[in-house]
Amino acid sequence: AQSVTQLGSHVSVSEGALVLLRCNYSSSVPPYLFWYVQYPNQGLQLLLKYTSAATLVKGINGFEAEFKKSETSFHLTKPSAHMSDAAEYFCAVKNDTGANSKLTFGKGITLSVRP
Amino acid sequence: KAGVTQTPRYLIKTRGQQVTLSCSPISGHRSVSWYQQTPGQGLQFLFEYFSETQRNKGNFPGRFSGRQFSNSRSEMNVSTLELGDSALYLCASSPWGNTEAFFGQGTRLTVV
């Protein structure tokens, strides 16, 4: 079984401040991990993915995440928040690329950016 | 390359009716998955199709069904609609063996 925990439902930061969105996962096998972003009334856009290569993953829009197996974590960071980063962020886990390839999502975190 | 296209974008139905949602995957992608998004339950997996076969199914009642055509386009159907079926339905496509899923804009279904 696989699961994802995203602590807190809402994070608020000032423009230019560090963004840190937390994600912990549970998986019985080495996982594939993803961060998606969703803007209002839109679908999900892939920010970045971890697929057992480098543990520090760089994504789009200046975001990056670090896979830490010992902590079962995959936290998302961005050094300097921009107003356009305000959105909902989802962490997701997938165990296999074959027959069991469903994504399991966390509850999501709403990021607000204050001017 | 065109992205995942879902139609319609918005839909209003009455309780007891049925509805069909459509998804056209990215060209060359053979896997299509469907997810339901609600404020209370978040994003939940409905089912996945690959080469016209359902490979995986989530924990939803039999009122929810789907199919995939030979051109990889997919439809999902919900019969006997309930108020609780109001949600954003998202379709995602993937190439075979690829790890990431690419999502469409979703269909917002409102049941009244």
Side-chain angles (χ1 to χ4, degrees), chain A residues 55-98:
Chain A
T55 56
L56 182 61
V57 181
K58 293 190 185 298
I60 63 171
N61 302 339
F63 284 95
E64 63 181 39
E66 186 173 8
F67 173 71
K68 292 187 177 180
K69 184 178 178 181
S70 61
E71 299 177 9
T72 61
S73 68
F74 189 57
H75 302 331
L76 182 71
T77 59
K78 181 174 180 177
S80 177
H82 192 272
M83 296 296 291
S84 61
D85 295 327
E88 191 161 17
Y89 292 80
F90 294 92
C91 181
V93 63
K94 176 191 278 194
N95 280 346
D96 192 69
T97 57

Side-chain angles (χ1 to χ4, degrees), chain A residues 7-13 19-21 109-114:
Chain A
L7 292 177
S9 59
H10 185 239
V11 170
S12 180
V13 300
V19 175
L20 170 60
L21 304 181
I109 299 175
T110 300
L111 174 66
S112 299
V113 182
R114 304 184 300 272

Side-chain angles (χ1 to χ4, degrees), chain A residues 16 20 25 27 31 33 36 50 81 87 95 105:
Chain A
L20 170 60
Y25 70 91
S27 174
L33 294 160
Y36 284 89
Y50 167 76
N95 280 346
F105 287 90

Side-chain angles (χ1 to χ4, degrees), chain B residues 3 6 9 12 15 18 20 28-29 32 40-41 52 56-57 60 68 71 74-75 78 85 91 97 100-101 108-109:
Chain B
Q6 291 188 245
R9 286 291 312 275
I12 300 175
R15 271 182 303 174
Q18 74 165 19
T20 299
H29 288 194
V32 174
Q41 299 299 316
E52 303 178 65
N56 205 353
K57 189 177 190 307
F60 277 82
Q68 187 180 33
N71 62 358
S74 177
E75 290 181 347
V78 187
D85 297 332
C91 168
E100 69 254 47
R108 171 77 61 186
L109 172 65

Side-chain angles (χ1 to χ4, degrees), chain A residues 12-41:
Chain A
S12 180
V13 300
S14 297
E15 192 173 20
L18 171 72
V19 175
L20 170 60
L21 304 181
R22 299 177 186 275
C23 172
N24 288 87
Y25 70 91
S26 171
S27 174
S28 57
V29 298
Y32 299 108
L33 294 160
F34 308 85
W35 276 98
Y36 284 89
V37 61
Q38 185 177 37
Y39 299 97
N41 296 316

